Amino acid sequence: MVTGREETGAGARERDAPGPDALAAELAAARPDLKFTPGLGRALADAVAAAERAWPGLSLPAPRFVAALAPRLAADRPAEAALAELCVGDLYLACACVDGDPRALAGFDRLLVPIVERAAARRGATASQQTDLQQIVRERLLMPRPSAADESHARLAEYSGRGSLRAWIRVVATRETLRLLGRPQREVSGDDDAIAALMPADAGPELEHFKRHYREAFKQAFREAVAALTDRERVLLRQHALDGLSIDRLAEFYGVHRSTTARWIDGARRSVLEHTRRALGRRLHVPASELDSIMRLIDSRLDITLPTLLREPGTPAAPGKPR
């Protein structure tokens, strides 16, 4: 006979969960190189609680989650500060998916499907191709693959938590869309929004002159410049300028040093400018000094203009900042 009220679910899990000191001890055993602070145990307990609230019902014990957090904490700052930099809710979901939790996998799929649909729609994918892409991205992220240590692990296990899981999935979806659909046939919208982005609100005489005389030439020149980019250059510029992925996050994804990613992006940017200059030179037949002046204007505003210019035809601008 059972007397009193029986605890189940979240209440039982909260009652049985390790306390702050136990969680701090778990982390210390896994990462003795970290700089520990008196508030670390409480910070870990709060991180676990926040993750459980974000994804209720997942079967992921707190010690397992702390073990997953341990290798992702930067060693060059106090552990509590390093913990605050991580997207703990996203890491909690990823960790539960790697462990095969059905509810976690269902939640992950709810994130993945609309991201892949948007990436595929930008390339004009058919409904059948969108379905194929969803399955490809699932397999890329969730199917075990051999690691350097001859152990099998899912690609999702490599997610660091230093950026949102949605952005991380978006990078993979973009790459797989390019792989499946090949080189895009339409590159830029070519509408007046691109020129509007080039022009600040207080445009002076030089900008007004550019707007009146070179609008069509610029649109055609930029179309050619983007078409001349390599697939990697085009994807990098879209990831950086349109999707808002930082150099550090791109470096992490591609597995290279941040200086390499910065060099790639700078090279892609310079390629756009060089191709644009050649295309404008063929069309405008103006003195070299005037062409230099035009290019200085484009160079100074290119980073503001790129998100508009790189957007696919028919793709509406997203409200607010890129995610």
Side-chain angles (χ1 to χ4, degrees):
M1 180 177 179
V2 178
T3 58
R5 186 173 59 184
E6 184 177 347
E7 285 188 283
T8 59
R13 182 168 57 183
E14 183 176 348
R15 180 195 62 195
D16 298 335
D21 292 342
L23 294 176
E26 291 274 354
L27 185 62
R31 288 290 303 275
D33 59 310
L34 292 175
K35 303 172 185 175
F36 290 88
T37 54
L40 177 61
R42 174 46 54 192
L44 284 169
D46 289 345
V48 171
E52 290 175 346
R53 286 194 300 271
W55 296 101
L58 303 192
S59 301
L60 187 67
R64 166 73 177 98
F65 185 41
V66 171
L69 292 174
R72 292 166 167 83
L73 297 175
D76 60 349
R77 57 184 64 85
E80 191 173 349
L83 177 64
E85 296 173 353
L86 299 180
C87 299
V88 292
D90 286 354
L91 274 171
Y92 188 79
L93 175 65
C95 186
C97 285
V98 171
D99 286 359
D101 185 315
R103 292 188 181 182
L105 292 169
F108 182 78
D109 216 44
R110 289 194 296 272
L111 292 180
L112 180 146
V113 169
I115 292 172
V116 177
E117 285 179 346
R118 283 194 292 271
R122 292 191 182 108
R123 302 287 171 189
T126 64
S128 175
Q129 287 173 327
Q130 289 189 28
T131 300
D132 289 345
L133 278 166
Q134 290 171 22
Q135 187 58 30
I136 288 170
V137 175
R138 284 189 194 97
E139 291 178 359
R140 290 283 188 271
L141 297 180
L142 298 174
M143 292 293 290
R145 61 176 188 166
S147 71
D150 291 330
E151 297 175 352
S152 293
H153 69 279
R155 174 81 172 274
L156 189 58
E158 300 171 9
Y159 168 60
S160 72
R162 292 191 175 89
S164 76
L165 186 57
R166 284 182 174 84
W168 196 79
I169 296 171
R170 188 182 303 121
V171 172
V172 178
T174 300
R175 292 182 67 183
E176 295 306 327
T177 300
L178 283 173
R179 198 190 311 275
L180 179 67
L181 301 183
R183 191 180 184 92
Q185 296 181 357
R186 298 185 300 171
E187 296 302 334
V188 294
S189 62
D191 59 19
D192 288 344
D193 288 345
I195 301 299
L198 189 65
M199 304 296 169
D202 56 347
E206 182 183 14
L207 294 181
E208 288 298 336
H209 177 77
F210 179 95
K211 185 176 179 179
R212 283 196 308 272
H213 295 280
Y214 305 137
R215 178 190 298 268
E216 291 304 319
F218 172 77
K219 287 193 291 188
Q220 294 299 323
F222 198 93
R223 208 177 268 125
E224 291 181 16
V226 174
L229 291 171
T230 66
D231 286 343
R232 187 180 72 177
E233 288 173 332
R234 188 182 303 106
V235 171
L236 277 168
L237 282 180
R238 284 190 172 129
Q239 290 170 337
H240 186 57
L242 188 57
D243 291 335
L245 300 183
S246 69
I247 288 174
D248 288 329
R249 284 163 65 184
L250 289 171
E252 175 188 322
F253 179 78
Y254 287 106
V256 298
H257 193 273
R258 71 182 311 277
S259 63
T260 300
T261 309
R263 187 169 65 252
W264 287 349
I265 293 172
D266 183 63
R269 190 181 184 280
R270 283 188 285 103
S271 181
V272 169
L273 291 171
E274 290 166 4
H275 283 288
T276 300
R277 181 189 175 91
R278 286 199 290 270
L280 284 176
R282 291 194 301 270
R283 285 180 169 81
L284 298 182
H285 305 293
V286 297
S289 59
E290 187 169 353
L291 185 57
D292 288 341
S293 178
I294 294 170
M295 291 310 302
R296 282 195 298 271
L297 168 63
I298 293 174
D299 190 3
S300 68
R301 303 286 297 176
L302 185 62
D303 292 334
I304 300 173
T305 315
L306 275 173
T308 301
L309 293 166
L310 289 169
R311 190 169 288 112
E312 292 291 343
T315 302
K321 296 181 180 179
R323 288 183 298 177

